[in-house]
Amino acid sequence: MEKPRQGFAGLWNISFGFFGIQIGFALQNANMSRVFQSLGSAIDDLPALWVAAPLTGLLVQPVIGHLSDKTWLGRLGRRRPYFLLGAVLAALSLFLMPLSEVLIMAAVLLWVLDASLNISMEPFRAFVGDMLRKDQHTAGYAVQTAFIGAGAVVGSIVPWLMTQMGVANVAADGGIPDTVRFSFWLGGAALFLAVLWTVVTTREYSPEEMQTFGEAEEGEGMAQPVRALATKPYSSCAIWIAAGVAVILAVLGFDLEKEVYLLGALLVLYGALSAVAISMAKQGNTTGMLTSIVGDFSGMPDVMKRLAVVQFFSWSALFIMWINTTPVVTQYVYGSTDTASAAYNEGANWVGWLFATYNGVAAIAALTLLPMLAKKLGKAKTHIVGLLAGAAGFASFFVIRDPQTLLIAEIGIGIAWASILAMPYAILASSLPQAKLGIYMGLFNIFIVVPQLLVATVMGSIMKAFFPDEPIWTMAFAAATLVIAALAMLRVEVPGEETAGEPANA
């Protein structure tokens, strides 16, 4: 027996909550550098302050994925309890953020906000796979991507709209302007109501119903990754720990930025947790959260491993963009680095329009361009085209100095963003075991988070050493990493399609 086919209303309801979540992410991405600088942060310190966001995703998403796979709360369901919890916490964080008076308060609230958004976001990825038949996965993730783009447009342009309505865009005391303050409050309300819509209008399939679809039982192949953990030597754990120690020593020996300590600490922590998980597995404990997460991570399917490389480089570029677009545009296009000046704040508002443009393009491309290309070229080649379009968009920042013309650059970035949000997940949802979709989607997020941690910890050191006071060069790094991601996509073999390196059927 197959799942019922969802109509447009069903596809809408399943992903509408992501519209609100992305409003929250857009407000965060477009305004947090502005908030930090308004509260006294220097440009060189921005990556360290932003490190909270990817770190919380790294910790939260695998845990939430594992828990949501095993949750069933009656009428509330499997994934929806996490939607609701994350939405409540995120809305509270958005309300409190613009009330920050000191830098440390804003940094802590960013941590809480990003953790809350991740609690809601991770189950939404698995929710599409839960609710839809395999032949609707591409459509489901396309609709989700469209909502992500639409939500990001709304979240990105609200401060600009506030300015047009006469709301003060420069704070008298040099702090957080009213445009940002009111935008965060409206965004919090929109986020909560959008997620509530999905919670109220959808009904998840019960464990019994999933059994009738043949997607609930964990067979031998599904349990194998965890059982295989018991056969692994402890030497692999030692390698992770040694790598972390080497990073920490490099910070001391080469006077790198102190934020790089975090990278070393994470490597040591993973090595230690792996050792504990292996020990538990050898003792016969293969059902605990730690052994399940470590076992599934080490036993990922091949298609997921290859896509992980693509994600690593793709998201490196995106995080570079989110951190550095405001400093680049305000300095090179509007000619100001003074956060209290009208020119700086005008440029910061224009960044909101730039972000709204790439997200708007993504929403349209997800429903039109990508399905057309995927049908003609296949999912893998379509993703390559999208990534190269984004690389061209980032490279154009070097030659464009007119605010309006920068919108052209955002078209390429928007196509890349649509492809990054849709294609890997459409490939994975049809390739992974349904009963572990939550944990695998959560683990896949590691390859989104780790590059963000690297950017947040290493980019500051690179820029200070080679390009001091020249943030424009961050866009060169972004363009290069998307080209590398496109090359890595050549190795991804999509089930049922030609490989990216071979001719596809028309």
Side-chain angles (χ1 to χ4, degrees):
M1 181 178 176
E2 252 189 317
K3 295 174 186 173
R5 189 173 186 83
Q6 294 283 348
F8 180 75
L11 295 175
W12 176 288
N13 292 337
I14 287 168
S15 291
F16 186 71
F18 227 127
F19 173 72
I21 292 171
Q22 199 60 34
I23 289 176
F25 271 119
L27 286 168
Q28 170 186 298
N29 293 339
N31 294 284
M32 284 313 301
S33 288
R34 180 181 186 178
V35 169
F36 289 148
Q37 287 185 291
S38 296
L39 294 176
S41 172
I43 288 180
D44 291 342
D45 293 330
L46 290 179
L49 293 168
W50 271 88
V51 77
L55 180 60
T56 50
L58 179 66
L59 299 175
V60 167
Q61 289 217 22
V63 172
I64 295 299
H66 172 82
L67 292 175
S68 68
D69 279 341
K70 300 179 180 300
T71 294
W72 183 256
L73 297 181
R75 294 181 65 182
L76 197 52
R78 176 180 296 104
R79 315 291 182 187
R80 290 179 299 163
Y82 300 95
F83 300 166
L84 198 55
L85 174 62
V88 170
L89 295 175
L92 288 173
S93 300
L94 286 168
F95 177 79
L96 294 173
M97 180 71 74
L99 300 178
S100 302
E101 295 182 354
V102 293
L103 192 58
I104 187 62
M105 179 179 177
V108 169
L109 283 171
L110 174 61
W111 195 299
V112 176
L113 172 61
D114 203 85
S116 304
L117 292 171
N118 276 285
I119 289 171
S120 282
M121 181 183 73
E122 196 286 330
F124 261 104
R125 294 296 192 192
F127 194 49
V128 173
D130 291 345
M131 300 295 292
L132 299 179
R133 323 154 32 126
K134 288 187 177 182
D135 62 357
Q136 285 196 293
H137 283 166
T138 299
Y141 285 107
V143 171
Q144 190 173 90
T145 298
F147 275 128
I148 291 172
V153 169
V154 173
S156 297
I157 68 171
V158 168
W160 180 87
L161 291 174
M162 290 283 180
T163 303
Q164 304 309 303
M165 295 167 61
V167 178
N169 193 42
V170 179
D173 59 358
I176 299 172
D178 285 345
T179 50
V180 175
R181 194 185 307 269
F182 295 152
S183 296
F184 273 57
W185 293 343
L186 287 173
L191 185 155
F192 177 76
L193 292 174
V195 171
L196 187 63
W197 177 276
T198 289
V199 171
V200 170
T201 60
T202 57
R203 184 189 71 82
E204 296 186 66
Y205 297 118
S206 69
E208 294 75 22
E209 287 174 309
M210 293 297 278
Q211 285 183 355
T212 67
F213 301 140
E215 296 183 346
E217 295 294 331
E218 288 195 22
E220 284 295 312
M222 304 227 1
Q224 187 59 35
V226 180
R227 293 176 182 171
L229 197 62
T231 66
K232 289 188 176 295
Y234 289 104
S235 57
S236 60
C237 309
I239 292 173
W240 285 105
I241 294 173
V245 171
V247 170
I248 293 171
L249 293 176
V251 177
L252 295 172
F254 296 98
D255 195 28
L256 301 177
E257 294 294 309
K258 60 183 180 298
E259 294 82 24
V260 184
Y261 280 122
L262 177 61
L263 179 61
L266 286 172
L267 292 172
V268 171
L269 177 62
Y270 179 74
L273 290 176
S274 295
V276 173
I278 290 173
S279 176
M280 293 172 65
K282 289 181 183 294
Q283 295 171 24
N285 183 353
T286 59
T287 59
M289 181 187 298
L290 182 60
T291 52
S292 294
I293 291 175
V294 174
D296 286 330
F297 179 72
S298 62
M300 290 185 299
D302 286 342
V303 66
M304 185 171 168
K305 291 178 182 177
R306 295 185 178 189
L307 277 172
V309 178
V310 179
Q311 290 292 87
F312 178 90
F313 288 105
S314 301
W315 284 84
S316 295
L318 295 171
F319 202 60
I320 289 170
M321 173 184 69
W322 290 330
I323 292 177
N324 294 288
T325 300
T326 294
V328 168
V329 171
T330 53
Q331 179 175 333
Y332 292 90
V333 179
Y334 284 83
S336 177
T337 57
D338 180 5
T339 61
S341 70
Y344 175 91
N345 282 282
E346 184 182 356
N349 271 3
W350 188 246
V351 170
W353 268 108
L354 295 178
F355 282 16
T357 298
Y358 87 73
N359 280 290
V361 169
I364 296 170
L367 297 177
T368 57
L369 178 64
L370 295 186
M372 179 186 70
L373 289 178
K375 184 177 180 179
K376 183 176 180 59
L377 303 176
K379 295 185 185 71
K381 284 189 175 181
T382 296
H383 197 32
I384 291 173
V385 171
L387 293 170
L388 292 178
F394 284 123
S396 66
F397 271 76
F398 276 83
V399 296
I400 297 175
R401 290 295 178 267
D402 174 66
Q404 303 291 332
T405 310
L406 274 179
L407 294 172
I408 297 174
E410 299 300 324
I411 294 174
I413 294 171
I415 294 172
W417 179 229
S419 191
I420 289 167
L421 290 174
M423 289 303 161
Y425 296 100
I427 294 169
L428 285 177
S430 299
S431 307
L432 299 176
Q434 179 66 44
K436 287 193 173 184
L437 197 54
I439 180 60
Y440 276 133
M441 289 295 187
L443 290 172
F444 194 56
N445 184 65
I446 290 174
F447 304 101
I448 295 173
V449 170
V450 169
Q452 295 181 50
L453 286 172
L454 286 172
V455 170
T457 56
V458 176
M459 183 60 70
S461 296
I462 294 174
M463 294 303 296
K464 182 175 287 187
F466 299 102
F467 309 105
D469 302 319
E470 296 183 65
I472 188 67
W473 285 99
T474 59
M475 295 301 170
F477 284 97
T481 55
L482 283 188
V483 171
I484 295 172
L487 293 173
M489 195 64 199
L490 292 171
R491 298 184 62 248
V492 175
E493 297 181 4
V494 180
E497 294 183 1
E498 300 284 352
T499 64
E502 297 175 357
N505 293 328

